[in-house]
C-alpha cells in the first residue's frame, strides 16, 4: 500500500515482486521447498498437525512450518493472481529491523533443521541438496546479507561520503542482481 512513499519502498517493492512472481511461483510449480510468508496463506489442518503445528522456536515461524510440512511430504500451491495488501517499512530503522529478522531467522532455522533435513527419508537427495544449498544458504542467508549491505551501508554511505557514487542505473540493477 505504500510502495511509492520513498525510494527505499520502491526498491523493496521491486525485490518483493521478484520474490513472489518468480521464486514463489517457480517453487510452487516445481513442488520445491516453499518459503511460506505467513501472509494470506491457507493451510489444511492435517498438514499443520502432521508438521507439528505452529512453533515459536525462531523468528520465522511461517518458514519453519513450511519446511517441516515439506519434509512430511506436503506440497504447496502458490496463487500468484491473488492480491493481498501489505505495508513496506518506510523508515531506515524499520527496514533494518526487518532485514535483520529476515536474515537471522532463516539462519537460525537452518541451524535447527539441518540434521532433520539430512536424515529425512521422505525427501530425495536432490531435494535435500536444493533445500540446504539454494533455499537456505543462497536465498535466505547470502541474499539477505548482500541486500542488507547494499541498503544499510552502501546507499547511506553515498549520502555521508560524497566520493562514493552509485550511478542512477545502479539503484535498479544492483538490487535486481543481488536478488
Amino acid at each position: 500500500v505504500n510502495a511509492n512513499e520513498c525510494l527505499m519502498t520502491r526498491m523493496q517493492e521491486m525485490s518483493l515482486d521478484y520474490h513472489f512472481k518468480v521464486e514463489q511461483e517457480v517453487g510452487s510449480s516445481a513442488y520445491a521447498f516453499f518459503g511460506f510468508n505467513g501472509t494470506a496463506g491457507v493451510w489444511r489442518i492435517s498438514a499443520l498437525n502432521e508438521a507439528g503445528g505452529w512453533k515459536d522456536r525462531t523468528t520465522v515461524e511461517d518458514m519453519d512450518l513450511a519446511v517441516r510440512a515439506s519434509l512430511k511430504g506436503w506440497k504447496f500451491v502458490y496463487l500468484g493472481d491473488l492480491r493481498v495488501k501489505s505495508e513496506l517499512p518506510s523508515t531506515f530503522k524499520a527496514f533494518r529491523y526487518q532485514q535483520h529478522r529476515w536474515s537471522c531467522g532463516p539462519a537460525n532455522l537452518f541451524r535447527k533443521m539441518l540434521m532433520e533435513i539430512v536424515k529425512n527419508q521422505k525427501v530425495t537427495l536432490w531435494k535435500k541438496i536444493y533445500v540446504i544449498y539454494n533455499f537456505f544458504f543462497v536465498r535466505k542467508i547470502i541474499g539477505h546479507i548482500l541486500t542488507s549491505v547494499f541498503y544499510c551501508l552502501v546507499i547511506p554511505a553515498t549520502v555521508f561520503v560524497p566520493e562514493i557514487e552509485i550511478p542512477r542505473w545502479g539503484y535498479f540493477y544492483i538490487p535486481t542482481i543481488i536478488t
Side-chain angles (χ1 to χ4, degrees):
V1 296
N2 66 333
N4 292 320
E5 189 171 323
C6 62
L7 177 62
M8 186 172 67
T9 55
R10 286 193 297 273
M11 293 170 73
Q12 289 175 76
E13 180 190 33
M14 289 188 299
S15 179
L16 288 173
D17 280 350
Y18 173 83
H19 169 68
F20 286 113
K21 292 178 181 172
V22 177
E23 290 178 347
Q24 296 291 57
E25 288 193 27
V26 169
S28 173
S29 65
Y31 296 115
F33 278 83
F34 191 78
F36 175 65
N37 296 97
T39 303
V42 177
W43 283 83
R44 292 183 185 221
I45 295 294
S46 52
L48 284 167
N49 291 337
E50 191 177 335
W54 196 266
K55 294 184 178 179
D56 61 356
R57 64 185 182 161
T58 70
T59 58
V60 287
E61 305 91 353
D62 44 5
M63 183 187 304
D64 182 14
L65 177 60
V67 172
R68 286 185 284 115
S70 293
L71 291 174
K72 297 290 185 184
W74 286 93
K75 307 283 188 239
F76 296 88
V77 176
Y78 176 75
L79 304 175
D81 55 346
L82 182 67
R83 299 284 181 222
V84 178
K85 291 184 178 186
S86 61
E87 188 173 2
L88 299 166
S90 59
T91 66
F92 186 67
K93 181 179 180 180
F95 177 77
R96 198 177 67 208
Y97 177 78
Q98 179 196 60
Q99 291 302 306
H100 180 265
R101 181 181 167 268
W102 283 1
S103 60
C104 291
N108 286 331
L109 180 61
F110 177 66
R111 183 179 52 81
K112 291 179 182 201
M113 294 203 69
L114 178 61
M115 291 314 296
E116 188 176 338
I117 294 166
V118 170
K119 293 178 182 178
N120 188 287
Q121 299 297 315
K122 289 187 177 183
V123 178
T124 65
L125 177 63
W126 176 246
K127 281 197 175 184
K128 289 177 187 180
I129 292 169
Y130 170 82
V131 75
I132 291 169
Y133 178 73
N134 187 35
F135 182 79
F136 274 113
F137 187 67
V138 173
R139 286 176 40 205
K140 305 297 182 203
I141 298 171
I142 300 300
H144 287 293
I145 290 171
L146 291 176
T147 303
S148 294
V149 166
F150 182 70
Y151 286 123
C152 298
L153 296 176
V154 176
I155 290 178
T158 64
V159 173
F160 298 113
V161 182
E163 292 81 20
I164 299 176
E165 186 177 323
I166 299 174
R168 285 190 178 265
W169 58 265
Y171 288 101
F172 174 78
Y173 288 110
I174 292 173
T176 303
I177 291 167
I178 290 171
T179 303

